[in-house]
């Protein structure tokens, strides 16, 4: 895909309905971190449901530690991998207090040293909390970029590198969120809605004509 097509796609996303923020509900950097940790293999609706109650009783590292792992499990029991996620929350809170005075570090290396925090989560925190021009690549972004040929790569890291090289600086802070919204709502894994897609004239998806006629 050439630069002109990519630029037109980004302008379409910027000017239309795509949210300028993630769908997780949070009121602080720490709440965002916990929400993203909980979102692995779980949809945002379910995460928001459990954090609405959880954050009322504990929304700081100190509060989570006072609550304790068993009580955290009780709040998040309805989401996938809740045992491991509760353990990661407790260990992360210990590290935030012991090493970073209870605040999130503005460093990829430091963020990725926290239990349960990988490159994608670190990119989200660096982008949303600290304003870094990073681009997090999850399954929605990976699928959209390869399917549309916006940025082709064999794995999420190669797609991330490609995006960083082809996305103009003015779009780097928001394009992850646009791509996630588009991947969830329109460019779905099964039965993509090409007929209502606002970029169907720009997308290079090889099978789009099949879905345009459905």
């Amino acid at each position: 895909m050439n630069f002109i097509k990519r630029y037109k796609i980004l302008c379409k996303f910027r000017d239309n309905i795509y949210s300028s923020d993630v769908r997780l509900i949070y009121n602080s950097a720490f709440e965002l971190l916990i929400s993203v940790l909980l979102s692995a293999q779980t949809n945002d609706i379910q995460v928001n449901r459990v954090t609405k109650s959880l954050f009322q009783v504990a929304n700081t590292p100190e509060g989570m530690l006072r609550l304790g792992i068993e009580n955290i499990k009780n709040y998040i029991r309805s989401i996938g991998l809740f045992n491991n996620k509760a353990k990661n929350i407790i260990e992360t809170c210990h590290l935030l207090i012991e090493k970073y005075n209870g605040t999130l570090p503005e460093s990829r290396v430091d963020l990725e040293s926290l239990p349960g925090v990988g490159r994608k989560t670190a990119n989200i925190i660096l982008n949303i909390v600290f304003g870094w021009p990073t681009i997090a690549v999850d399954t929605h972004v990976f699928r959209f970029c390869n399917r549309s040929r916006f940025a082709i790569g064999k794995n999420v890291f190669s797609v991330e590198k490609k995006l960083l090289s082809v996305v103009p600086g003015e779009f780097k802070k928001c394009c992850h969120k646009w791509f996630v919204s588009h991947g969830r709502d329109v460019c779905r894994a099964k039965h993509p809605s090409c007929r209502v897609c606002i970029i169907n004239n720009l997308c290079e998806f090889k099978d789009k004509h099949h879905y345009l006629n459905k």
Side-chain angles (χ1 to χ4, degrees):
M1 182 175 289
N2 62 39
F3 171 81
I4 293 174
K5 273 191 178 180
R6 289 193 183 100
Y7 195 85
K8 286 181 177 178
I9 286 171
L10 291 166
C11 288
K12 285 264 192 181
F13 286 164
R14 179 197 63 198
D15 297 338
N16 283 275
I17 64 173
Y18 300 106
S19 171
S20 63
D21 205 352
V22 293
R23 295 182 180 183
L24 296 170
I25 298 172
Y26 60 94
N27 292 299
S28 69
F30 177 73
E31 288 187 2
L32 174 60
L33 174 64
I34 298 302
S35 295
V36 177
L37 285 175
L38 293 174
S39 69
Q41 299 183 35
T42 305
N43 65 60
D44 290 352
I45 294 172
Q46 187 60 32
V47 172
N48 290 334
R49 186 174 294 128
V50 301
T51 56
K52 182 179 180 180
S53 300
L54 176 63
F55 291 157
Q56 286 180 351
V57 296
N59 65 349
T60 64
E62 295 84 358
M64 289 291 180
L65 293 180
R66 285 194 298 269
L67 189 60
I69 189 168
E70 293 305 321
N71 284 324
I72 291 174
K73 286 181 184 180
N74 287 334
Y75 277 99
I76 68 171
R77 192 174 297 276
S78 62
I79 67 174
L81 307 173
F82 73 91
N83 282 308
N84 195 51
K85 289 175 180 178
K87 181 176 176 244
N88 286 340
I89 289 172
I90 289 294
E91 292 178 358
T92 288
C93 289
H94 274 299
L95 285 173
L96 288 175
I97 292 169
E98 292 167 4
K99 295 183 65 175
Y100 307 109
N101 198 31
T103 62
L104 271 60
E106 189 179 352
S107 160
R108 181 187 301 283
V109 172
D110 290 341
L111 285 169
E112 290 186 23
S113 73
L114 300 173
V117 177
R119 186 175 184 88
K120 182 198 80 172
T121 300
N123 275 338
I124 290 172
I125 298 299
L126 291 170
N127 179 274
I128 295 174
V129 176
F130 299 108
W132 284 30
T134 58
I135 302 175
V137 178
D138 64 3
T139 55
H140 299 293
V141 177
F142 182 78
R143 179 179 65 254
F144 163 73
C145 285
N146 276 288
R147 178 183 278 169
S148 66
R149 303 187 69 81
F150 188 98
I152 301 169
K154 292 182 178 179
N155 53 55
V156 294
F157 183 62
S158 62
V159 169
E160 179 189 329
K161 285 179 64 177
K162 181 68 174 179
L163 286 171
L164 289 172
S165 70
V166 301
V167 173
E170 66 187 286
F171 298 112
K172 281 181 178 172
K173 193 169 185 300
C174 291
C175 73
H176 158 76
K177 291 157 274 188
W178 297 334
F179 292 171
V180 169
S181 291
H182 188 68
R184 283 175 173 162
D185 300 338
V186 180
C187 196
R188 297 182 296 270
K190 295 181 180 179
H191 310 298
S193 300
C194 296
R195 288 182 65 184
V196 299
C197 176
I198 61 171
I199 63 161
N200 58 28
N201 63 320
L202 300 166
C203 172
E204 296 181 3
F205 176 32
K206 63 183 178 64
D207 294 328
K208 72 177 179 181
H209 294 292
H210 169 75
Y211 292 99
L212 280 170
N213 294 325
K214 282 196 168 187

